[in-house]
Amino acid sequence: MRFGYFDNVRKEYVITRPDTPREWTNYLGSLEYGAIITNNAQGYSFVKSGASGRILRGRFNVPPTTAPGRYIYLKDMENGDYWSSSWLPVKKDLSKYESICRHGILYTIIASKYDGIETETLYYVPLNELYEVWAIKVRNNSGRKRKISLFSYAEFTNEPNETQDLVNMQYTLFISRTYYKDNLIIQTINENYSEIGKVIPQEEGISGRRFNRFFGVIGEKVVSYDGDRDKFIGSYRDYSNPIAVERGMCGNSLNYGKNSCAGTQVILDLEPGEEKEVIYVLGQGAEATGRRVMAKYEEKGRVEKEWNELKNYWQSKLEGFKVKTPDENFDTMVNIWNAYQCFITFFWSRAASMIYVGQRDGYGYRDTVQDIQGIIHLEPQEAKKRLRLMLAGQTSKGVALPLVFFDYEIKPNQGLSLDNPYYVKRTGYTEYRCDDHLWLYITIRQYIKETGDLAFLDEILPYSDYGEDTVYEHLRKGILFSLSKLGKHGLSFGLDADWNDTLRLGEEGETVFASMQLYLALKIFAEFAGRKGKKEDVEWAEKEAKKLDENIQKYAWEEDRFVRGFIGDEVIGSKKNTEASFWLNPQVWAVLSGVATEEQAKISMDNVEKILNTDYGAMIMYPPVRTWGFPVFRMILFNPGMKENAGIFCHPQGWLIKAETILGNGDRAFKYYQEVNPANMNDKAEIREAEPYVHCQFVEGKDSPYHGRAHVHWLTGTASSMMVAAVEGILGIKPDYDGIVIDPCVPSHWKEFYIEKVFRGKKLRIKVENPNGVQKGVKTINLNGKEIRSNFILEKDLKDDNEIIVIMG
Ligand code: GLC
């Protein structure tokens, strides 16, 4: 079953039926003002933090019909009938009501058609602004004169702290009130406290500050309003039938001691064929700010202009890498949706979506360092900025803080570590993870190779607790920390978690996955040391890598698989186990890190296909645990087939694909890509349920009765791992220190494809020909008419604009 289609020309996903299996969402705004919007205009908004800057209320995990939204109701003032400009909340009969939602890059357009009246509402946050715009055009196509009222509805939080707003009623209901004057509703919070921005010390979690919000209407005179939610909705009614709309007039109420909202009414007299526009603006700020913002929209065409600026800004960011291959769904993801998702994940880490409530007030370390990988090829300078922040979140012991606050500043001697009670209290973390800092190595190498910025290694950055060092020394410290945490098999202790949050191995259990990562970190460090001419460091890192490799070979290889780890002497992921006997990550990371021999790689990766793969991707391990392993195996808490308990965790799918491309298996790599490409599920939305344009955290595995159903949309490491798999793995675009390697690994039926990439400011127009249908291997490269007999192009041979023909064979 399908609910929409991809419009790649406009870079939009078009939802043609509003009754999608779940709320199909999009993002608006920036790091300063963020918002989430569904195909039915629901969702919430916040300034800087979803946890402590919430403006529009979201009600989580409720049936969508009971959630607030950015609602605009329409009422025919002659016959009394009413509907909404999005299908929800009024939910008119779909045989009479049409709704088309276009989710674009940081904007959403929702169009409706009902009883001869057409509406089109554009929702966006203008570039560099702290407010959102809802611009609605109403057109009379009925052939007769119409009198239509528009009622806006926005539900404010009473307190910017999300949890307090929803649970601490005895406090939050009594701090907020609303005012109305000349088309503008103002909400105040803690208004008696005159010093805006200054905090009155309060109970835990309460903002204790003065805030103002505004909601302004431009284009028509407001004839009635409600600032009190219950007066707009009415007793024992809901969003689908507010009394204000039913009556045809708001109650001119103001909130004092209940819930604040912005309900407004304007009346449009529409001649046949006539169209009118009303613009609503909503944001943080007092009356003066509201008036200033409203005044801007008196200018004709302002919305159109801002929307174009927004589109140009974001769409041009995606232009840095484009492909045209024989597979349209692959192109759609690489060119548009996966790239966009990488930016959103990069922005919001795991903070705000319809699943992540927005309470997480910072960047999870490992997640963020991996998220950076998804945008390096498009926005290397932003990647560098975030890398700096994350390096400054590494403690002087080399291990990383599990969470780096959104408001964290890069400055020395802040004393932040798990020894600091403030940090522990604010985050709830009491133990370090063994892998967090290990993600830095691959990400920094990818950044340096993309940009050539080897000098980054010499930049001095602070540690989160005390002292500072060059990036290079930060990396050495990270390795030293890991080497100080090896167990009796000489492998890395699992500590609070390795990548797998549900594996709690502590300082008794060892992890093979993180040991492989450490091996790779050592190899990368040796590479950096070599580039810097530090021979002793090269030798040291190589020696440690060799020891680790020997231990992995000695203890972790078992006939046809790499095991997952050890709990004391007990083996995790052994053939002898009846549960969780085969795991995806150690097989894949053995290849990615270079630990696996050719023979081991062949046998174990064949087993991945045999034991773990399904029509919807490869399960994280199999069989699920039902009886064994607790308290180390926290995944036992999940139903079989869910998440880390034999679910198809999507994040590792990108690693799996990349590993297969390293081995030269283009057909298999692409098959895996196809299995998890959400766009391929466009016609099977009833199975996948989640949006066909975004990757999810996991898909239910074979042991679930809902095998194939996807969960936890948007904010997931899958975005970056799939991007890297597509760009570096399948397309084989691999920047290197002194140039760029082009080494595709594609399905053998791909005969020709095109790639456009900006590399260090230079344009590469690449045509790849595959006349003999091979999966990997480059015979020649022709660069601007000159033949190169390898797959490597030196940067110094590049012009500003380059024609490159790659012949595989
Ligand atoms: C979630 C977490 C991520 C973790 C993964 C596997 O996606 O955000 O940090 O690596 O689960 O447990």
Side-chain angles (χ1 to χ4, degrees):
M1 198 187 284
R2 66 149 70 191
F3 291 82
Y5 64 93
F6 290 91
D7 179 342
N8 287 351
V9 175
R10 290 177 52 141
K11 297 191 168 53
E12 291 171 341
Y13 186 82
V14 188
I15 300 167
T16 48
R17 281 182 58 172
D19 55 342
T20 44
R22 273 181 222 159
E23 300 99 315
W24 283 4
T25 59
N26 193 17
Y27 282 78
L28 312 175
S30 65
L31 284 179
E32 299 300 308
Y33 187 100
I36 290 170
I37 184 161
T38 72
N39 53 320
N40 281 306
Q42 300 181 318
Y44 54 97
S45 321
F46 49 94
V47 173
K48 288 201 169 91
S49 158
S52 56
R54 193 65 67 100
I55 291 190
L56 279 192
R57 185 177 280 159
R59 213 165 277 121
F60 273 86
N61 199 17
V62 292
T65 49
T66 60
R70 297 173 180 87
Y71 294 144
I72 305 171
Y73 300 85
L74 292 98
K75 183 177 178 84
D76 186 321
M77 297 303 275
E78 270 130 23
N79 65 17
D81 193 10
Y82 63 89
W83 61 102
S84 40
S85 63
S86 44
W87 183 52
L88 293 178
V90 178
K91 222 163 48 104
K92 280 288 188 195
D93 180 347
L94 284 176
S95 64
K96 300 195 189 100
Y97 179 96
E98 190 181 306
S99 162
I100 308 269
C101 169
R102 292 181 164 267
H103 282 321
I105 299 188
L106 292 168
Y107 68 85
T108 284
I109 299 171
I110 300 178
S112 76
K113 263 191 208 167
Y114 179 76
D115 191 21
I117 300 293
E118 288 186 16
T119 68
E120 191 180 272
T121 315
L122 167 66
Y123 296 93
Y124 70 102
V125 175
L127 280 178
N128 308 316
E129 296 292 359
L130 274 180
Y131 59 85
E132 61 190 78
V133 177
W134 319 349
I136 182 168
K137 288 183 189 149
V138 185
R139 192 180 173 78
N140 175 8
N141 276 346
S142 66
R144 62 194 157 94
K145 248 178 113 151
R146 302 287 286 272
K147 192 186 262 306
I148 302 288
S149 272
L150 291 191
F151 292 88
S152 71
Y153 182 77
E155 190 165 317
F156 292 119
T157 54
N158 283 334
E159 148 71 54
N161 181 297
E162 196 267 344
T163 325
Q164 293 295 320
D165 174 62
L166 291 178
V167 302
N168 195 355
M169 285 336 133
Q170 65 79 28
Y171 171 77
T172 55
L173 282 176
F174 314 115
I175 58 175
S176 147
R177 63 189 293 191
T178 47
Y179 294 89
Y180 171 79
K181 204 165 126 199
D182 297 338
N183 277 30
L184 180 65
I185 287 186
I186 294 291
Q187 181 205 24
T188 64
I189 298 170
N190 302 134
E191 75 168 37
N192 298 334
Y193 190 52
S194 57
E195 292 176 75
I196 291 194
K198 222 170 165 198
V199 181
I200 308 179
Q202 279 283 359
E203 277 172 51
E204 193 66 38
I206 290 171
S207 306
R209 276 196 276 166
R210 176 171 161 176
F211 289 92
N212 297 295
R213 283 85 175 262
F214 64 85
F215 184 95
V217 184
I218 305 112
E220 292 289 334
K221 175 89 197 95
V222 170
V223 296
S224 73
Y225 58 87
D226 271 314
D228 177 333
R229 180 190 76 184
D230 298 349
K231 291 287 185 325
F232 183 86
I233 304 280
S235 299
Y236 299 99
R237 289 170 170 266
D238 56 44
Y239 302 112
S240 72
N241 61 355
I243 188 70
V245 179
E246 202 160 292
R247 187 171 54 212
M249 199 184 141
C250 300
N252 292 340
S253 68
L254 294 174
N255 175 38
Y256 193 91
K258 292 177 93 180
N259 287 288
S260 295
C261 76
T264 65
Q265 180 191 17
V266 300
I267 301 177
L268 307 179
D269 284 306
L270 294 165
E271 296 295 330
E274 192 181 5
E275 180 178 282
K276 286 194 174 165
E277 185 175 35
V278 178
I279 299 162
Y280 301 100
V281 287
L282 154 70
Q284 184 153 293
E287 183 176 351
T289 311
R291 296 269 173 229
R292 184 182 53 76
V293 171
M294 286 168 74
K296 293 203 258 182
Y297 294 88
E298 299 294 345
E299 176 195 330
K300 258 208 138 359
R302 170 126 200 157
V303 166
E304 194 75 16
K305 198 172 101 201
E306 286 181 345
W307 178 43
N308 279 326
E309 279 167 9
L310 181 79
K311 275 194 297 191
N312 290 341
Y313 181 80
W314 279 105
Q315 296 191 359
S316 69
K317 280 201 192 298
L318 308 189
E319 296 288 305
F321 192 89
K322 279 195 293 197
V323 294
K324 183 160 178 7
T325 72
D327 190 274
E328 210 184 328
N329 284 347
F330 177 84
D331 299 354
T332 301
M333 292 312 287
V334 175
N335 294 339
I336 305 169
W337 289 96
N338 192 5
Y340 177 31
Q341 188 179 358
C342 283
F343 276 108
I344 292 300
T345 309
F346 176 76
F347 281 174
W348 295 117
S349 184
R350 305 298 174 271
S353 71
M354 293 301 276
I355 296 296
Y356 287 108
V357 178
Q359 287 172 341
R360 201 179 226 209
D361 210 2
Y363 299 106
Y365 204 93
R366 82 159 76 90
D367 290 340
T368 301
V369 177
Q370 291 173 84
D371 294 343
I372 297 170
Q373 295 173 13
I375 61 138
I376 288 178
H377 65 301
L378 298 173
E379 189 88 291
Q381 289 318 309
E382 286 300 311
K384 182 183 190 175
K385 255 174 49 198
R386 187 67 56 78
L387 268 173
R388 284 196 184 111
L389 186 79
M390 300 317 283
L391 280 154
Q394 202 185 355
T395 74
S396 55
K397 285 190 190 133
V399 68
L401 295 175
L403 190 88
V404 176
F405 303 127
F406 284 139
D407 59 7
Y408 184 68
E409 284 176 52
I410 304 180
K411 53 184 191 197
N413 304 327
Q414 302 190 67
L416 289 184
S417 72
L418 291 187
D419 297 330
N420 178 332
Y422 160 77
Y423 181 83
V424 172
K425 190 158 181 227
R426 190 167 160 191
T427 62
Y429 287 111
T430 53
E431 284 175 74
Y432 291 111
R433 284 87 169 270
C434 70
D435 70 315
D436 277 338
H437 59 285
L438 291 177
W439 296 99
L440 289 168
Y441 301 79
I442 356 177
T443 308
I444 290 177
R445 181 172 67 176
Q446 191 187 331
Y447 164 74
I448 292 176
K449 286 186 168 183
E450 182 73 42
T451 56
D453 182 11
L454 202 64
F456 183 54
L457 293 176
D458 302 324
E459 203 172 297
I460 295 176
L461 287 166
Y463 292 110
S464 64
D465 46 1
Y466 304 105
E468 56 183 22
D469 253 329
T470 59
V471 170
Y472 182 80
E473 290 302 325
H474 273 252
L475 296 179
R476 186 205 304 277
K477 282 262 176 85
I479 287 174
L480 287 172
F481 174 82
S482 292
L483 291 177
S484 74
K485 297 281 176 193
L486 302 181
K488 63 177 173 197
H489 301 95
L491 302 178
S492 180
F493 280 139
L495 307 187
D496 197 36
D498 63 6
W499 168 87
N500 190 324
D501 278 334
T502 62
L503 208 50
R504 307 292 174 97
L505 290 157
E507 292 217 7
E508 275 147 41
E510 290 155 276
T511 149
V512 172
F513 176 9
S515 304
M516 290 166 172
Q517 263 193 296
L518 176 57
Y519 172 84
L520 183 58
L522 282 159
K523 287 296 215 186
I524 294 172
F525 188 75
E527 214 173 284
F528 289 161
R531 290 263 147 192
K532 293 175 68 62
K534 298 195 181 228
K535 256 181 80 189
E536 277 177 27
D537 286 355
V538 177
E539 279 165 22
W540 166 73
E542 288 290 359
K543 203 173 94 219
E544 292 296 338
K546 188 159 171 279
K547 273 200 267 177
L548 203 56
D549 185 27
E550 283 164 6
N551 290 334
I552 294 172
Q553 289 296 346
K554 188 158 158 202
Y555 300 112
W557 176 251
E558 185 191 86
E559 249 175 84
D560 64 347
R561 69 195 63 198
F562 285 97
V563 301
R564 183 64 174 82
F566 300 89
I567 311 174
D569 285 325
E570 200 170 9
V571 186
I572 306 171
S574 160
K575 220 175 179 169
K576 296 181 202 110
N577 303 141
T578 47
E579 297 177 357
S581 55
F582 191 80
W583 293 66
L584 178 62
N585 284 330
Q587 325 310 325
V588 166
W589 275 84
V591 176
L592 294 177
S593 64
V595 164
T597 62
E598 215 175 293
E599 198 198 344
Q600 286 171 332
K602 165 119 194 35
I603 300 174
S604 62
M605 294 296 274
D606 281 353
N607 264 338
V608 166
E609 192 180 28
K610 236 179 11 227
I611 302 172
L612 300 178
N613 193 43
T614 73
D615 290 349
Y616 307 109
M619 294 175 290
I620 190 172
M621 51 84 150
Y622 204 74
V625 285
R626 292 183 160 91
T627 59
W628 182 55
F630 195 77
V632 172
F633 281 3
R634 298 288 164 92
M635 70 288 280
I636 203 168
L637 301 171
F638 295 123
N639 293 329
M642 292 292 181
K643 288 191 62 124
E644 287 93 339
N645 197 9
I648 299 161
F649 223 87
C650 300
H651 186 170
Q653 309 300 313
W655 301 333
L656 169 62
I657 293 161
K658 191 160 173 225
E660 287 292 0
T661 64
I662 291 176
L663 300 174
N665 300 326
D667 284 327
R668 203 195 252 172
F670 194 66
K671 180 181 84 173
Y672 289 152
Y673 190 95
Q674 297 281 66
E675 287 168 0
V676 291
N677 185 349
N680 288 347
M681 295 297 284
N682 195 46
D683 295 340
K684 296 187 200 131
E686 75 285 6
I687 298 175
R688 189 172 193 270
E689 291 194 4
E691 297 90 334
Y693 47 90
V694 287
H695 287 286
C696 285
Q697 184 203 66
F698 80 100
V699 170
E700 291 174 49
K702 220 163 67 176
D703 286 31
S704 157
Y706 296 100
H707 183 35
R709 190 166 61 175
H711 298 273
V712 193
H713 60 179
W714 283 99
L715 305 182
T716 158
T718 317
S720 67
S721 82
M722 287 300 289
M723 189 48 118
V724 171
V727 175
E728 284 186 26
I730 294 172
L731 299 164
I733 300 298
K734 300 177 199 173
D736 211 327
Y737 298 101
D738 304 317
I740 187 163
V741 173
I742 305 178
D743 192 16
C745 181
V746 296
S748 40
H749 66 268
W750 280 16
K751 290 284 180 286
E752 200 173 283
F753 54 99
Y754 303 84
I755 303 163
E756 265 184 46
K757 173 175 168 66
V758 177
F759 175 60
R760 301 186 191 170
K762 296 181 170 135
K763 184 115 197 190
L764 315 183
R765 297 171 204 278
I766 306 166
K767 178 180 181 197
V768 183
E769 291 174 19
N770 184 14
N772 300 325
V774 299
Q775 298 179 51
K776 192 169 179 166
V778 165
K779 213 154 56 186
T780 58
I781 291 184
N782 187 302
L783 170 66
N784 300 319
K786 279 225 309 266
E787 197 161 289
I788 305 171
R789 297 209 143 267
S790 79
N791 59 14
F792 182 57
I793 301 175
L794 278 166
E795 184 188 3
K796 68 176 176 47
D797 292 339
L798 289 171
K799 299 197 282 193
D800 286 344
D801 203 320
N802 302 277
E803 291 293 338
I804 299 168
I805 300 169
V806 178
I807 312 281
M808 293 179 70

